[in-house]
Amino acid sequence: MHRLFRFIMADKASYVYNEARRIYPDLAKHVRRTPLEASSFLGENVYLKLESEQITGSFKLRGACNKIFKVINEDPKAKEKGFTTASSGNHAKGCCMALKKIGAKGIIYVASTALKSKVDALKSYGVEVRLHGDDCMEAEVQARTDAQKLGMIYISPYNDIDVICGQATIGLEIYDTLPEVDAVFVPVGGGGLIAGIAAYLKQAKPSIKIIGCQPAASCVMYESIKAGKIIDIPSYDTLSDATAGGIEEGAVTFDFCRSLVDEWVMVSEKEISDAVYLILEKHHKLIEGAAGVSVASFLKTAQAYEGKNVVIISCGANIGMDQLKKIINDHT
């Protein structure tokens, strides 16, 4: 990797690290410090970071709150302008909660393939929900376009340094609780979560291994990293709907992933289903498909991490009832 690129990315990672530490005291007033729970069922010295127990059922609340509160602080007219965003549901829920706290309006763009349970949950916040496109990237493009037309402020689910800094506070909590951590398994869609966690932890302890985890049915980031640029490839139906879809052209997360992620693991739909069921059966915890991706990725490579202190990011718990019923039926 080119020396100049390494220098630039080290500087960006340093910024994320310092910003996460700066914003955390205020952000902690609005988000839950989630448990880091040991898992004897997954292995000795293996821990689940339960963002699935975040207030909105997903880590996305952190980035949404950080971005929206920052915009409001910097632009007094932002509340009147209103906000738009695009999401499979989790980022949108985070934005809805942040907007409710400050009394601002918003329009949420959701792919037509999103789970009905997530769409209904968004509508319960009193915001306008618009269905557009077949995946998250198409919804993102429309949300940006309409924001420009309507004079509103677009909040990206991942392609924004302030959102990344919000997600980086997960890394802060992990290192604060378990400084001896050796490896972290992180589910990846657009890359905001892994960019923040990797930037923070690599600054705190460079030897930590960051493992990117994706469903084989929708692994755009992994294929883009292999290609050396963001590429447009098909995504297929997956239990991990929260990570499914393409990546916005020019996304800042791409370079974070290219420079800070040490390994990649792809998992099948059966492996994701097995992981969701395992956590439900053994831990009595409900997790969504995207969280199942990181659990499944660890199980697939567990032998390589024997004797290591491993953290698995359980990123959310917003799974549809139909999905959950099918997973349970398939395992009973």
Side-chain angles (χ1 to χ4, degrees):
M1 198 175 296
H2 195 278
R3 184 179 298 176
L4 178 59
F5 175 74
R6 289 176 183 263
F7 176 80
I8 292 171
M9 290 313 300
D11 187 59
K12 289 183 178 180
S14 177
Y15 172 82
V16 171
Y17 173 86
N18 290 319
E19 188 69 359
R21 295 183 66 82
R22 185 188 69 80
I23 67 175
Y24 187 71
D26 287 333
L27 189 63
K29 299 173 185 175
H30 304 282
V31 306
R32 180 174 293 149
R33 183 182 176 114
T34 53
L36 188 65
E37 185 172 295
S39 173
S40 59
F41 297 105
L42 293 174
E44 187 177 356
N45 301 324
V46 178
Y47 303 82
L48 290 168
K49 178 59 173 170
L50 293 171
E51 283 296 295
S52 42
E53 297 185 4
Q54 190 52 260
I55 296 168
T56 56
S58 166
F59 75 94
K60 292 283 191 177
L61 179 62
R62 296 174 186 261
C65 279
N66 187 51
K67 179 61 179 182
I68 290 173
F69 295 164
K70 183 175 181 179
V71 169
I72 290 293
N73 287 335
E74 294 178 349
D75 181 2
K77 295 182 179 180
K79 188 183 295 188
E80 299 174 14
K81 295 176 182 176
F83 296 80
T84 72
T85 194
S87 165
S88 64
N90 288 335
H91 172 69
K93 284 181 71 177
C95 287
C96 286
M97 178 163 283
L99 292 174
K100 188 174 182 180
K101 286 178 178 288
I102 61 174
K105 64 180 180 179
I107 302 174
I108 310 299
Y109 293 75
V110 179
S112 59
T113 54
L115 295 174
K116 183 178 183 299
S117 59
K118 290 187 176 182
V119 174
D120 290 343
L122 295 178
K123 290 180 179 179
S124 71
Y125 285 94
V127 298
E128 181 181 350
V129 179
R130 297 182 182 179
L131 300 180
H132 183 86
D134 294 326
D135 68 22
C136 60
M137 189 171 69
E138 292 180 14
E140 287 168 25
V141 171
Q142 191 63 41
R144 279 190 184 275
T145 300
D146 286 1
Q148 291 179 342
K149 290 180 181 178
L150 300 172
M152 302 176 78
I153 299 162
Y154 175 70
I155 306 297
S156 173
Y158 59 88
N159 187 17
D160 187 288
I161 196 66
D162 296 321
V163 171
I164 290 170
C165 289
Q167 321 307 23
T169 60
I170 299 170
L172 182 155
E173 290 179 2
I174 291 171
Y175 191 72
D176 183 58
T177 305
L178 188 72
E180 58 271 29
V181 58
D182 296 308
V184 183
F185 285 74
V186 189
V188 180
L193 176 61
I194 199 167
I197 291 175
Y200 189 92
L201 290 178
K202 288 287 191 178
Q203 287 289 303
K205 184 180 177 183
S207 64
I208 293 175
K209 298 297 183 186
I210 303 295
I211 300 93
C213 312
Q214 292 202 287
S218 183
C219 53
V220 180
M221 183 63 82
Y222 170 67
E223 293 297 338
S224 294
I225 296 297
K226 286 203 305 181
K229 62 181 180 180
I230 295 173
I231 59 175
D232 183 15
I233 60 171
S235 287
Y236 303 98
D237 288 343
T238 173
L239 285 170
S240 182
D241 62 291
T243 67
I247 305 166
E248 187 177 0
E249 185 177 351
V252 296
T253 52
F254 176 73
D255 282 342
F256 279 95
C257 289
R258 185 164 56 147
S259 62
L260 299 177
V261 177
D262 297 291
E263 298 174 20
W264 293 88
V265 181
M266 307 300 113
V267 290
S268 69
E269 292 305 295
K270 182 180 185 307
E271 288 169 326
I272 298 169
S273 176
D274 290 347
V276 172
Y277 187 79
L278 174 70
I279 299 302
L280 181 63
E281 179 186 34
K282 300 299 185 182
H283 281 278
H284 306 291
K285 301 287 186 184
L286 184 64
I287 64 171
E288 65 188 36
V293 168
S294 52
V295 174
S297 295
F298 168 73
L299 292 171
K300 193 169 186 174
T301 59
Q303 189 172 354
Y305 296 93
E306 287 184 6
K308 302 293 185 181
N309 294 300
V310 176
V311 173
I312 302 168
I313 306 297
S314 176
C315 58
N318 295 316
I319 188 169
M321 189 58 67
D322 290 342
Q323 281 186 330
L324 184 59
K325 285 179 181 177
K326 184 177 187 307
I327 289 171
I328 293 173
N329 288 337
D330 287 347
H331 290 83
T332 54

